[in-house]
Amino acid sequence: MIQDSGFRACPEPDQGIQDSGYENTQKSADLLVEIGTEEIPSGYILPALEQLREIAAKSLAAHRLSFEEIRALGTPRRLTLWVKGLATVQTDRVSEVVGPPRRAAYDENGNPTKAATGFARTQGVSVADLKIVDTPRGEYVAASKLEQGRFAVDILKEQLPLWIQALNFPKTMRWDNLRFARPIRWLVALLGDGVVDFHMDTLRSGVQTYA
């Protein structure tokens, strides 16, 4: 019997596609993850699916990756996560970094000091782009930094092993250097038509599933 745990969510901020070496012209794609195992006790499956769905949803939101729908399904030999319409690039983020006090950043004539030029250099901005902000401690110099969104595939390579390792079961088995409800025998991870390539000890994700 297939067990199912799913919900719909669509935080969909505007975003663009940047070129960082990953050729993908789509703004969204479906994500499919399958954890193939030896037979898992039936009572473990639905709680694991609910965890997997919640862990994935929180992680995607934390990494500014919007999606349309997320669903987890399972049988005794596989736990599967499907994410519909996953953004292929994070949204950009503008952050404000507070630096030295105004009195240390500018001299009595309003000229920038070494503290100001050093802070600007560290933040990768020009001195002219620095601004003064009011804080509970007084006036300080600050810089606004644009953090361009990363490609989803690169984030997923880092996050998918963490999602799997975060699943809790009443009892687990250890093999090699891994622990899970039952030994994992294969991993499938696809974003659109492309493989999300990651490792878990001796296991490597791919496209092949088994009956």
Side-chain angles (χ1 to χ4, degrees):
M1 178 180 293
I2 296 176
Q3 300 191 45
D4 180 7
S5 174
F7 69 85
R8 304 180 71 87
C10 49
E12 194 78 38
D14 292 336
Q15 61 182 345
I17 300 293
Q18 294 89 27
D19 180 9
S20 63
Y22 177 68
E23 293 184 3
N24 192 334
T25 58
Q26 294 180 310
K27 290 186 177 181
S28 66
D30 292 350
L31 171 67
L32 175 68
V33 180
E34 182 178 274
I35 309 164
T37 68
E38 294 184 8
E39 191 158 319
I40 297 174
S42 60
Y44 289 13
I45 297 173
L46 188 55
L49 295 176
E50 291 174 346
Q51 290 179 62
L52 182 58
R53 174 180 55 80
E54 292 174 4
I55 290 167
K58 289 179 180 178
S59 176
L60 293 173
H63 287 88
R64 311 193 308 281
L65 290 170
S66 64
F67 58 88
E68 296 176 18
E69 183 180 357
I70 185 166
R71 190 172 295 277
L73 304 99
T75 70
R77 293 203 62 213
R78 72 196 70 235
L79 303 177
T80 303
L81 180 76
W82 175 68
V83 183
K84 179 183 179 182
L86 178 65
T88 55
V89 182
Q90 283 179 311
T91 54
D92 294 340
R93 177 171 63 182
V94 177
S95 60
E96 186 175 84
V97 182
V98 177
R102 179 177 185 173
R103 62 180 180 276
Y106 297 94
D107 62 22
E108 61 274 11
N109 297 317
N111 297 313
T113 65
K114 289 183 178 180
T117 57
F119 173 67
R121 183 171 57 252
T122 300
Q123 301 305 317
V125 300
S126 69
V127 174
D129 291 330
L130 297 178
K131 59 183 179 180
I132 305 300
V133 295
D134 289 321
T135 76
R137 298 174 296 165
E139 292 186 323
Y140 278 71
V141 171
S144 294
K145 295 183 63 178
L146 173 64
E147 180 184 340
Q148 288 194 328
R150 297 172 60 200
F151 283 100
V153 67
D154 295 325
I155 297 168
L156 292 169
K157 288 177 183 179
E158 302 165 355
Q159 292 300 308
L160 290 182
L162 301 180
W163 298 358
I164 296 170
Q165 292 167 359
L167 295 176
N168 290 313
F169 299 93
K171 292 183 179 180
T172 58
M173 294 181 64
R174 178 176 289 278
W175 79 104
D176 296 333
N177 296 309
L178 299 174
R179 184 177 288 277
F180 205 69
R182 292 295 184 269
I184 299 174
R185 295 309 184 198
W186 73 87
L187 294 166
V188 174
L190 297 171
L191 181 62
D193 295 329
V195 175
V196 181
D197 187 12
F198 69 93
H199 290 80
M200 291 185 65
D201 198 48
T202 59
L203 294 167
R204 183 175 183 177
S205 60
V207 299
Q208 181 136 12
T209 187
Y210 299 86

